[in-house]
Amino acid sequence: MSTDSKLPAVIVSRKGGVKVIAINNSPVNALSQAVREGLAEALQRANADAEVQAVLIVGRGNVFIGGADIREFGQPRKPPLLTEVCNLIEASNKIVVAAIHGAALGGGLEVALAAHYRLALPEAKLGLPEVNLGLLPGAGGTQRAPRLMGVKAAAELMLGGKHLSATAAQAAGLVDRLAESGDPVSAGLAYANELLAQGAQPRRTRDIAIVDKATALAELDALAADTAKKNRGLFSPLKIIECVSAAVELPFEEGSARERALFAECLESAQHAGLVHAFFAEREVAKVPEAKAATPRALGRIAVIGGGTMGAGIAVAALDAGLQVVMIERDAESIARGQANVEKVYDGLIAKNRMTEDAKAAVMASYTPSTSYEVIKEVDLVIEAVFEDIEIKKAVFRELDRTCRPGAVLATNTSYLDIDAIAGVTSRPQDVIGLHFFSPANIMKLLEIVVPAKVSADVVATAFELAKKLRKVPVRAGVCDGFIGNRILAVYRQAADYLMEDGASPYEIDEAMRAFGYPMGPFQVTDLAGGDIGWAARKRRAATRDPRVRYVEIADRICERGWFGQKAGRGFYLYPQGARVGQADPEVLAIIDAERARKGISPRKFSADDIVRRYMTAMVNESAKVVEEGIALRPLDVDVTFLSGYGFPRFRGGPMKWADMQGLDKVLGDVLEFSKEDPLFWKPAPLLEKLVAEGKNFSSLNQLKG
Ligand code: 3HC
Ligand code: NAI
């Protein structure tokens, strides 16, 4: 039974004594005002209809109900509220059955929890993921779930924001009956009729008593302590625990009132705005002109050239997606190392009991190692991941041009190099594209799809299709030094170096950025990645560096001593005996002091707020340039790049959303203030100036034209 936009949002029919209420609101049966109104009316009619003995609630299409309609948040709330609808369901004098197939999430699960009996089909997934949007379940979920599944389990479900499978939900007590197969209507009708035959009565979740309140409250206290430690300033998780505590301590109606009040607070929070922006932006990024205009090419067998850090990670990502993978390396020794790099990932999973030897063997059966290009003649797509050296890459692409079948997609994983130049050495630049993965490539979600001048639209569409298969978040980028992410990173990293030379310690900078919400500060990241990588790049660029640009040599002084970070036992931090968390190093502070003295800089004091302002302003100003030049299609593409690839705190929505929330006039004011010290580095982005002059924000540019 598919959804049909020509029909009403709620479709009612009767099968014998059972009234079937079907939600029909494509694509995910979200609980829009029309759905809520339709549900309430249908229930009231069913209650008043003597012919009706039971009510069955189902969803049409692929899901039961995907939750409240997120697009309605922020608009004036129109009655009936979902809480009222849920209360109406629960209060019904006829038995109400929910038959769940596909997703029953957030408000969708709350509808089911208000029903008297719940049936799930095998592929159902149940969850209360509101926390991912900075919210809490606001239609009775925090009060009903603990009564059905236990206090601790319910709190953990809401805090984790993850889905339960049908069987797990049954084991947890959320589901009464599993249907083996069938569609929700026939399975639901069979269950409802069976219940009627047994003389089943309405069974209201609110009437379930929570026993052993003392244990429950102690468990919630422990969860609250753990959550406060782990969630780095997130607002809604602690509110969830408050609501669940209310479920334990207060009668149902009072607990629900508490839930409503705290839900309203979450709805008002900036974190909610950031997280909702992230939710929609991650879906919008795949909507690019080429993906709409062209059909993807075939994608079954792929080749990876190079089996180092990236090649092996990309191979694992592709194998995990069920693709056939050939890996090419330079010689026998290198290919053996490449294969070992791949196997190391699976062996790690086996060691953690997350994979069996048999499963590894099954995956590795799709993997072919080789040192000869002849074996990749027939593959559909090649991803080159050899050393970051334009001449080596050009040689590889000449070889690919010679061997690969016509129509094969030829991709490079370069981080910075000119893909137009790489495409230029082949006879088929229309087939050449950038696929910039992030390390570890089998884990990191971001995939920058870099679109050179001559590539054809169907190759771009194929890249987006590959991203979908690999479950990556694709962002379309234009060709420039560093594309979207690394180009902007280079600028705000420079701002961090200036802050350090001007007076802030690397430890203060890291702390300020962690307090902002990053999992790690920039100097911790350098130590983790290895200081030698950036050092090599700086040496490579030394000859072409603009002499007018301020250059901070502190990192070079540290690298000259072989202090390459964690792997060397010291970098900006000390890592005694292989420690993973570094300690401040007085010798590093002395090096910084010496560099300041050498340049005649008297150190200034920067507060955490000053540090964030400079770091973020540099990021936003460069982002505006990237959007204006068309390197990113829209501001939201920059946001998703940083959320998925650079650890930007999700609750802030991304750098462009952050800037909008600050007010662009304030951001521009900061750029102008800082530019008094260094007009070259802090040159305002023309787009930023234009938006401020027009009274607009970055969000106004998020709609694609055409
Ligand atoms: N409201 C409005 N639109 C929604 C939506 C929702 N709850 N959930 C998904 N959509 C939209 C998406 O934006 C997308 O739109 P687009 O086609 O224009 O880009 C479309 O539906 C399809 O979404 P997906 O691409 O994500 O489809 P999938 O099939 O991959 O996944 C899903 C379906 C599992 C339901 C997934 O969309 C999802 O997880 N949705 C969010 C679920 C959620 O967070 N629910 C809680 C909402 S808050 C709430 O209920 C508050 C309550 O307690 C009061
Ligand atoms: P790496 O040094 O770990 O691996 C490179 C591999 O390529 C080596 O195994 C080498 O033997 C092989 N190789 C070199 N020349 C070859 C040739 N002609 N034919 C076949 N194999 C050859 O390097 P890494 O880190 O994997 O980087 C690879 C590419 O990915 C670079 O372009 C890099 O800029 C890019 N990249 C790196 C990221 C990282 O975090 N390491 C992130 C994103 C992109």
Side-chain angles (χ1 to χ4, degrees), residues 501-530:
E501 197 170 59
D502 287 338
S505 79
Y507 316 121
E508 286 168 331
I509 297 169
D510 281 350
E511 199 184 322
M513 295 323 296
R514 282 197 307 271
F516 179 77
Y518 273 96
M520 284 180 161
F523 296 96
Q524 288 176 297
V525 172
T526 301
D527 274 4
L528 182 68

Side-chain angles (χ1 to χ4, degrees), residues 27-28 30-31 62-63 65-73 82 103 105-108 110 125 128-130 132-133 135-139 163 263 279-280 283-284 287:
V28 300
L31 293 154
N62 299 327
V63 301
I65 301 171
D69 188 338
I70 303 169
R71 291 182 203 273
E72 283 184 3
F73 292 153
L82 186 58
L105 299 178
E110 290 176 297
K125 46 183 188 175
L128 293 167
E130 285 88 343
N132 299 329
L133 299 171
L135 295 175
L136 49 86
H163 310 152
F263 182 79
F279 177 87
F280 285 120
R283 284 161 176 78
E284 284 302 306
K287 295 174 191 163

Side-chain angles (χ1 to χ4, degrees), residues 328-340 369-372:
I328 304 279
E329 261 286 358
R330 295 179 286 176
D331 48 42
E333 195 186 316
S334 310
I335 193 65
R337 204 174 46 237
Q339 174 155 346
S370 180
T371 53
S372 159

Side-chain angles (χ1 to χ4, degrees), residues 506-507 554 557-558 561 563 585-598:
Y507 316 121
I554 296 168
R557 294 292 91 81
I558 287 174
R561 290 165 168 79
W563 299 351
D585 183 350
E587 286 186 63
V588 166
L589 295 176
I591 293 170
I592 298 170
D593 277 339
E595 280 298 302
R596 288 174 187 151
R598 188 174 68 80

Side-chain angles (χ1 to χ4, degrees), residues 116-187:
H116 304 143
Y117 298 90
R118 284 159 292 279
L119 165 108
L121 280 105
E123 81 298 358
K125 46 183 188 175
L126 294 83
L128 293 167
E130 285 88 343
V131 72
N132 299 329
L133 299 171
L135 295 175
L136 49 86
T142 65
Q143 306 302 298
R144 292 193 178 93
R147 287 175 159 80
L148 281 168
M149 66 191 299
V151 171
K152 182 166 180 239
E156 283 171 344
L157 180 70
M158 294 178 230
L159 291 170
K162 299 256 171 19
H163 310 152
L164 296 178
S165 66
T167 39
Q170 189 193 29
L174 286 182
V175 163
D176 303 297
R177 171 70 66 88
L178 284 186
E180 275 170 17
S181 58
D183 66 284
V185 176
S186 47

Side-chain angles (χ1 to χ4, degrees), residues 371-423:
T371 53
S372 159
Y373 280 78
E374 297 308 308
V375 297
I376 62 164
K377 272 185 178 156
E378 293 306 319
V379 299
D380 302 313
L381 179 140
V382 184
I383 304 170
E384 165 278 310
V386 304
F387 300 134
E388 185 77 342
D389 178 312
I390 190 94
E391 292 313 321
I392 299 179
K393 292 204 190 275
K394 282 182 177 173
V396 167
F397 272 78
R398 282 191 197 99
E399 197 60 25
L400 295 176
D401 194 20
R402 193 183 61 75
T403 33
C404 291
R405 67 167 175 78
V409 174
L410 309 182
T412 172
N413 180 48
T414 179
S415 307
Y416 294 95
L417 301 174
D418 181 353
I419 304 179
D420 287 310
I422 295 173

